[in-house]
Amino acid sequence: KRTRTHMKTRIVTFPRSGHHWLVDGLLQANPKLKYSEYHQTGVTLENSDCDLQKTHDFLLDDPKVEGYKHIIQFRNPLRSVQSWYELVKANQDTPPYGEFFLSKVKFYSKWFEKWVMEPTPNSMIVCYEDMLKDYDGIVDKVLKFIDTPLGTS
């Protein structure tokens, strides 16, 4: 069994906010990190030795767990929703753009209020636009955040 040197971390990401780009950089920098996409695998931070776990919190019912770190990742809502629509449109029937847009912007507003405006004490905000400006710097900051003991970040 390996020795954990970093905190279990939930990455709460608004869809289409560069999540996989960030995770790729984290895993390249530290291949020992174990990653799980909760909605696809059913693996949770609680029932595994996973270090990082993604959630979109689509139902806005994911708890803010004080014993974990949280990386809150988002992007300009207009660009995020446009990208989301293009992804969904390519893979399934979609409602008209206006209807899709309004429903996702309403969700973004509630998601943003929950996770960005009222973050947990052990959370870090990562904005996609900041990653565009300094990707390596953001990856380094996130790695340092993950490795910092709870309560000292």
Side-chain angles (χ1 to χ4, degrees):
K1 187 155 178 135
R2 71 192 171 106
T3 303
R4 179 179 304 285
T5 60
H6 32 268
M7 302 304 302
K8 289 193 173 218
T9 304
R10 292 173 70 214
I11 305 176
V12 184
T13 178
F14 192 80
R16 314 305 295 159
S17 293
H19 171 74
H20 291 283
W21 185 31
L22 175 62
V23 169
D24 286 348
L26 297 174
L27 296 177
Q28 285 178 17
N30 184 347
K32 293 182 180 181
L33 287 172
K34 290 190 176 183
Y35 170 74
S36 168
E37 291 198 34
Y38 174 75
H39 67 279
Q40 290 183 346
T41 64
V43 173
T44 67
L45 290 174
E46 294 83 10
N47 72 12
S48 74
D49 65 346
C50 181
D51 302 304
L52 303 169
Q53 184 175 55
K54 171 186 175 180
T55 179
H56 288 305
D57 194 12
F58 283 123
L59 300 177
L60 297 171
D61 63 353
D62 284 359
K64 295 179 178 181
V65 182
E66 292 197 26
Y68 297 148
K69 293 206 172 185
H70 292 84
I71 298 168
I72 314 304
Q73 189 175 6
F74 68 98
R75 178 182 186 184
N76 172 307
L78 301 177
R79 292 192 172 125
S80 190
V81 170
Q82 177 65 39
S83 177
W84 193 356
Y85 183 76
E86 295 299 325
L87 175 72
V88 171
K89 184 175 79 171
N91 295 308
Q92 62 192 42
D93 291 330
T94 56
Y97 180 73
E99 183 181 322
F100 181 91
F101 180 82
L102 286 177
S103 71
K104 301 311 179 198
V105 168
K106 286 178 186 176
F107 169 64
Y108 183 94
S109 176
K110 292 175 185 173
W111 183 95
F112 192 88
E113 183 176 328
K114 176 181 178 180
W115 290 106
V116 179
M117 301 304 292
E118 300 173 6
T120 63
N122 289 299
S123 62
M124 176 182 186
I125 305 294
V126 175
C127 180
Y128 177 83
E129 287 76 13
D130 292 340
M131 288 178 23
L132 289 174
K133 293 175 191 170
D134 184 16
Y135 176 73
D136 292 336
I138 295 296
V139 169
D140 287 344
K141 286 178 186 177
V142 171
L143 287 168
K144 287 176 186 162
F145 173 75
I146 292 170
D147 285 336
T148 304
L150 281 174
T152 60
S153 56

